C-alpha cells in the first residue's frame, strides 16, 4: 500500500540489490519542492544530461481533462512531454519539457528500419491524501538502462532521468486522476535516429517521455480474471535472445498471436517455451501461481529470470513481500501459513 516517505524516514531503507523498496513521494501539493531520494549505489556519468539544465516551455493551449470513469488505456495524453537529444559528435543536449507535439524523423531513421528503440512503462498514483507517488521508479530506470546497452544506445544517468520525469509530472500533475481505479501512465521512450541505412550503432538518438491518464488495461477491469490461449506453435522469446529487455521488437510480432487468441474468444496469450511447454509470461505480463505441490503443501511459484522473461517491477515487488512475510513474520493475518517462494 502506498505510503508517504520523506528524507527523515527513507534513509537506509533499501531492498536487496540496493533498490528502494518503498514508494517515493514525488509531489507535495502545488509547490513541488520535495526531491526524490534515490537510494542504493548510483553511477553519475559525466556524459549524461543533467536535470539541473532542464528547460521548461509551458503550453499556451491546455487540453480539457477526460472523465476518469471513461478512460481507455493509451488514448489520452497530457499537455507536455520531455525530450533529450544525443549525437555522437556533441553528446547529450539539455533536457526540455515542452508542449506535447509530433516528432520529426528522417525517413532512414534506424528506429524505423531496424527497430533500434525501447521503452518503459510506469505509473503515478494520487493517494487519498492527494499526494502523487511513483512506485519503485528506480527499478524502471535500471531496466531501461540495461535495455539501452543491449540496443547499443548511449547510456545515461538514471537519477537524472528520474528527476526530469518527476518535474514533468509536476508540470502536468493536474492530469493525475482523482480516482482509485485510474492513474497517470508514464512512457519513457528511447529511439535511434541515425539518418542513414545500414545495420550499425546509431550516431544520433532521442529520449522522450510522454504521459497520459489511464483506466484498467483490460476491459474486464483490474482485478477480474482473463481467459488465456496457450499454443506451443507461438514463441515470444528464447534463450540467448532479448526477452529480458523492453524492446519494441519484442511486442510487434505478438500482435498477430493476440489477434488469433481474440478470434477464439480469449483475452490474452499464455506464452510457452521449449519441448516441455514451460510457462513464461501472459501477454505482456509476468505470471505467478499459488498452488499445492505434490506433497499437498502451498507454494508460490513464478518463472525464473533466465533471459526469456522480462524482469517486471510488480514481479519483484511480490517476491520481496512474500519473502518478507515468510522469513520475518512466518504467518500473516489473512494469508495462509508459511509457504515456500520460488
Amino acid at each position: 500500500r502506498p505510503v508517504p516517505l520523506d528524507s527523515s524516514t527513507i534513509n537506509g531503507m533499501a531492498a536487496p540489490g540496493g533498490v528502494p523498496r518503498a514508494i517515493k513521494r514525488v509531489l507535495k501539493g502545488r509547490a513541488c519542492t520535495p526531491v526524490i531520494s534515490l537510494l542504493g549505489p548510483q553511477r553519475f556519468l559525466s556524459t549524461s544530461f543533467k536535470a539541473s539544465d532542464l528547460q521548461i516551455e509551458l503550453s499556451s493551449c491546455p487540453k480539457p481533462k477526460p472523465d476518469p470513469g471513461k478512460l481507455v488505456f493509451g488514448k489520452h495524453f497530457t499537455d507536455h512531454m520531455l525530450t533529450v537529444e544525443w549525437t555522437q559528435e556533441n553528446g547529450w543536449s539539455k533536457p526540455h519539457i515542452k508542449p506535447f507535439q509530433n516528432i520529426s524523423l528522417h525517413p532512414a531513421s534506424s528506429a524505423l528500419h531496424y527497430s533500434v528503440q525501447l521503452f518503459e512503462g510506469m505509473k503515478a498514483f494520487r493517494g487519498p491524501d492527494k499526494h502523487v507517488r511513483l512506485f519503485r521508479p528506480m527499478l524502471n530506470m535500471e531496466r531501461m538502462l540495461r535495455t539501452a546497452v543491449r540496443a547499443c544506445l548511449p547510456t545515461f544517468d538514471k537519477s537524472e532521468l528520474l528527476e526530469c520525469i518527476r518535474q514533468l509530472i509536476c508540470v502536468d500533475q493536474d492530469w493525475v486522476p482523482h480516482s482509485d481505479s485510474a492513474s497517470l501512465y508514464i512512457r519513457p521512450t528511447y529511439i535511434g535516429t541515425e539518418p542513414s541505412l545500414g545495420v550499425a550503432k546509431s550516431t544520433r538518438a532521442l529520449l522522450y517521455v510522454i504521459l497520459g491518464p489511464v483506466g484498467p488495461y483490460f476491459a474486464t477491469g483490474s482485478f477480474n480474471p482473463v481467459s488465456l490461449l496457450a499454443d506451443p506453435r507461438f514463441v515470444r522469446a528464447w534463450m540467448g535472445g532479448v526477452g529480458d529487455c523492453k524492446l519494441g521488437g519484442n511486442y510487434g510480432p505478438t500482435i498477430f498471436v493476440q489477434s488469433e487468441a481474440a478470434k477464439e474468444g480469449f483475452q490474452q496469450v499464455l506464452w510457452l517455451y521449449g519441448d516441455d511447454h514451460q510457462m513464461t509470461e501472459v501477454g505482456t505480463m509476468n505470471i505467478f501461481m499459488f498452488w499445492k505441490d505434490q506433497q499437498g503443501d502451498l507454494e508460490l511459484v513464478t518463472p525464473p529470470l533466465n533471459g526469456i522473461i522480462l524482469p517486471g517491477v510488480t514481479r519483484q515487488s511480490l517476491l520481496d513481500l512474500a519473502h518478507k512475510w515468510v522469513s520475518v513474520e512466518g504467518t500473516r493475518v489473512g494469508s495462509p501459513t508459511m509457504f515456500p517462494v520460488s
Side-chain angles (χ1 to χ4, degrees), residues 25-43:
R25 175 181 296 178
V26 294
L27 303 174
K28 185 177 181 180
R30 297 288 304 180
C32 301
T33 54
V35 177
I36 297 177
S37 294
L38 302 171
L39 306 180
Q42 305 294 327
R43 285 200 311 165

Side-chain angles (χ1 to χ4, degrees), residues 27-335:
L27 303 174
K28 185 177 181 180
R30 297 288 304 180
C32 301
T33 54
V35 177
I36 297 177
S37 294
L38 302 171
L39 306 180
Q42 305 294 327
R43 285 200 311 165
F44 294 93
L45 305 178
S46 60
T47 55
S48 180
F49 53 87
K50 302 295 183 182
S52 58
D53 294 330
L54 185 63
Q55 300 178 350
I56 300 177
E57 175 191 355
L58 297 179
S59 172
S60 59
C61 300
K63 296 174 288 190
K65 312 294 188 299
D67 183 347
K70 299 180 180 179
L71 290 172
V72 178
F73 187 90
K75 302 299 183 182
H76 301 278
F77 299 96
T78 66
D79 293 317
H80 300 89
M81 62 190 297
L82 169 73
T83 64
V84 199
E85 296 182 0
W86 176 89
T87 66
Q88 182 175 279
E89 182 179 358
N90 300 317
W92 287 103
S93 66
K94 293 182 178 180
H96 286 75
I97 290 177
K98 60 181 69 173
F100 187 90
Q101 58 194 261
N102 293 336
I103 58 177
S104 178
L105 293 176
H106 191 282
S109 291
S110 52
L112 302 177
H113 292 267
Y114 309 112
S115 193
V116 182
Q117 61 100 267
L118 59 100
F119 65 95
E120 270 299 327
M122 46 202 294
K123 291 182 179 180
F125 304 87
R126 190 183 298 277
D129 58 2
K130 310 305 179 185
H131 289 134
V132 175
R133 298 173 175 87
L134 291 170
F135 181 69
R136 307 188 78 177
M138 276 303 289
L139 290 178
N140 294 95
M141 298 296 97
E142 290 169 355
R143 186 173 64 186
M144 186 173 184
L145 183 58
R146 289 195 303 270
T147 305
V149 171
R150 188 66 173 84
C152 283
L153 288 171
T155 59
F156 53 87
D157 188 297
K158 301 169 290 188
S159 304
E160 298 292 342
L161 175 56
L162 184 53
E163 175 58 18
C164 288
I165 292 175
R166 187 195 72 84
Q167 295 199 38
L168 175 62
I169 298 172
C170 184
V171 170
D172 276 344
Q173 64 175 293
D174 288 344
W175 284 84
V176 184
H178 292 261
S179 170
D180 58 5
S181 61
S183 59
L184 184 72
Y185 187 73
I186 305 160
R187 173 53 67 87
T189 308
Y190 198 8
I191 63 175
T193 55
E194 170 66 38
S196 62
L197 298 177
V199 182
K201 291 178 65 174
S202 294
T203 63
R204 295 174 177 269
L206 172 66
L207 194 162
Y208 66 93
V209 182
I210 55 178
L211 312 173
V214 297
Y217 188 84
F218 297 108
T220 54
S222 299
F223 300 103
N224 294 315
V226 294
S227 54
L228 305 176
L229 169 68
D231 191 331
R233 294 179 300 164
F234 304 113
V235 179
R236 190 196 78 90
W238 48 90
M239 298 297 292
V242 291
D244 58 347
C245 297
K246 207 166 177 67
L247 295 162
N250 284 340
Y251 294 82
T254 68
I255 298 174
F256 172 79
V257 188
Q258 176 64 43
S259 64
E260 291 296 298
K263 290 178 184 178
E264 298 188 31
F266 299 99
Q267 292 175 279
Q268 272 294 347
V269 178
L270 173 60
W271 296 103
L272 306 176
Y273 177 76
D275 294 335
D276 54 352
H277 301 165
Q278 301 171 34
M279 290 186 288
T280 60
E281 290 190 344
V282 171
T284 60
M285 304 173 293
N286 296 136
I287 181 174
F288 278 79
M289 287 150 283
F290 191 56
W291 60 16
K292 287 184 178 180
D293 61 18
Q294 294 180 344
Q295 287 71 44
D297 298 323
L298 291 171
E299 184 179 20
L300 180 65
V301 180
T302 191
L305 297 181
N306 57 4
I308 294 179
I309 71 171
L310 192 72
V313 176
T314 303
R315 175 189 182 279
Q316 185 60 51
S317 301
L318 289 174
L319 287 174
D320 290 344
L321 285 173
H323 280 298
K324 178 182 178 182
W325 290 351
V326 171
S327 62
V328 177
E329 301 178 22
T331 59
R332 186 175 179 86
V333 176
S335 71

